[in-house]
Amino acid sequence: MNELTLQNVTKKYGQKTALDGCSLIFKTGINALLGPNGSGKTTMMNIIADLIPANSGSVLWNGTSIAKLGAEYRGILGFMPQNVNLYKRFSAADNLRYFGKLKGLSTSQVEEDIPRLLEKVNLSDCVNKKFGSFSGGMKQRLGIAVTIMNKPKLVIFDEPTAGLDPKERMRFRDILRELSEDAVVILSTHIVSDVEMLADNIILLKEGKVCESGTAEELQEKYTPEASSDRTVLETVYMNFFGEG
Ligand code: ADP
Ligand code: MG
């Protein structure tokens, strides 16, 4: 069991406080950051991925500060940013080869993994097609393949379902479930239905603060919202926090 811990993390952009004293524990399994636009999801993920520094607080991997872990931390990390941008002129396979090199994987390992990875994200037909010709959903799916190719123990997806159609969403859920068997998976979304059935742990972020965390059932029990015919329980909890839309 692995664990990523945030201790009192604060991030300011000038006068704007994007994260305000966030403390959280993410464990092996699927953790969902849920909150409206501007609530601080991307900021938190960028700090966890060690892409931007926090103003104060710490991030620990199994109890050790990620600042101390350095290169070792990058080896266990997979990060997919909000807008997947790979090499337009490279084919799907060449993108995997290129990023495999960057991640320090051996050429033979990458060659062996390419068919398996493309199969997993349903791009087997596109091995030699250029990234530039891909649809939004296909780009997203190749992004997922690149993200998981080094078998990360900590996987971060920022708004991963944004460009996916319903079928692709289902496939992505299956990939997440498999990954989460032995990795800490953290994903962000502002869409309640994305996480309700999927996440082991749901974190509600509002204006840079963690306002709740727990399983869907725990949140449900805590708020015991009035039964509503056209809303799920988590949707009602979300509504109570953030209002309509
Ligand atoms: P989310 O991903 O939940 O939409 P963000 O982390 O992107 O939220 O943003 C949180 C807040 O910080 C927002 O108010 C946003 O405008 C602000 N913010 C984000 N990035 C920057 C930046 N580089 N400079 C200034 N303000 C920023
Ligand atoms: Mg964001």
Side-chain angles (χ1 to χ4, degrees):
M1 189 82 150
N2 291 308
E3 214 170 80
L4 184 94
T5 312
L6 262 61
Q7 286 178 338
N8 211 11
V9 170
T10 294
K11 175 71 185 177
K12 293 181 179 162
Y13 300 106
Q15 294 294 307
K16 169 87 200 171
T17 302
L19 287 182
D20 192 358
C22 292
S23 295
L24 280 170
I25 299 178
F26 301 96
K27 294 184 173 165
T28 301
I30 302 177
N31 302 268
L33 284 177
L34 185 60
N37 287 330
S39 54
K41 303 182 297 295
T42 295
T43 300
M44 185 182 283
M45 298 188 129
N46 285 342
I47 289 171
I48 294 172
D50 205 14
L51 294 171
I52 60 170
N55 293 91
S56 58
S58 35
V59 182
L60 313 174
W61 174 251
N62 293 330
T64 306
S65 161
I66 62 168
K68 262 192 206 154
L69 289 172
E72 190 191 331
Y73 184 65
R74 278 183 285 286
I76 62 125
L77 183 71
F79 175 71
M80 191 170 94
Q82 201 157 343
N83 296 303
V84 174
N85 212 350
L86 304 177
Y87 282 94
K88 287 189 187 63
R89 292 181 206 212
F90 283 8
S91 67
D94 283 343
N95 266 295
L96 287 167
R97 288 184 183 110
Y98 180 75
F99 286 98
K101 265 258 165 358
L102 285 186
K103 288 170 189 258
L105 304 174
S106 75
T107 306
S108 59
Q109 185 67 61
V110 171
E111 291 307 321
E112 200 184 309
D113 285 351
I114 285 175
R116 182 184 60 83
L117 283 161
L118 291 178
E119 159 89 61
K120 191 166 263 188
V121 296
N122 201 22
L123 286 174
S124 297
D125 297 347
C126 307
V127 195
N128 296 314
K129 282 209 184 112
K130 290 199 166 61
F131 181 76
S133 72
F134 280 13
S135 71
M138 290 163 75
K139 286 180 175 167
Q140 198 82 346
R141 283 184 275 143
L142 189 62
I144 294 166
V146 167
T147 304
I148 64 177
M149 71 186 301
N150 57 326
K151 302 189 179 71
K153 290 287 176 219
L154 171 63
V155 204
I156 301 170
F157 295 104
D158 197 359
E159 304 261 0
T161 56
L164 303 183
D165 66 30
K167 225 177 172 176
E168 290 170 332
R169 271 169 206 238
M170 299 265 282
R171 182 174 282 272
F172 181 60
R173 284 174 194 200
D174 291 341
I175 294 173
L176 284 188
R177 284 206 186 87
E178 195 188 323
L179 270 176
S180 69
E181 282 170 22
D182 69 343
V184 178
V185 177
I186 307 175
L187 69 114
S188 72
T189 181
H190 58 274
I191 304 162
V192 175
S193 59
D194 269 357
V195 301
E196 189 147 44
M197 306 297 289
L198 184 70
D200 302 302
N201 183 30
I202 298 168
I203 296 112
L204 295 179
L205 261 189
K206 185 180 186 177
E207 292 163 10
K209 289 198 171 87
V210 175
C211 41
E212 271 305 332
S213 73
T215 62
E217 295 76 36
E218 282 165 358
L219 295 180
Q220 168 179 350
E221 235 165 67
K222 185 156 177 184
Y223 292 95
T224 51
E226 320 79 69
S228 161
S229 55
D230 55 353
R231 263 186 214 126
T232 64
V233 173
L234 189 59
E235 272 168 349
T236 311
V237 173
Y238 188 88
M239 275 266 316
N240 289 344
F241 270 111
F242 306 122
E244 202 82 54

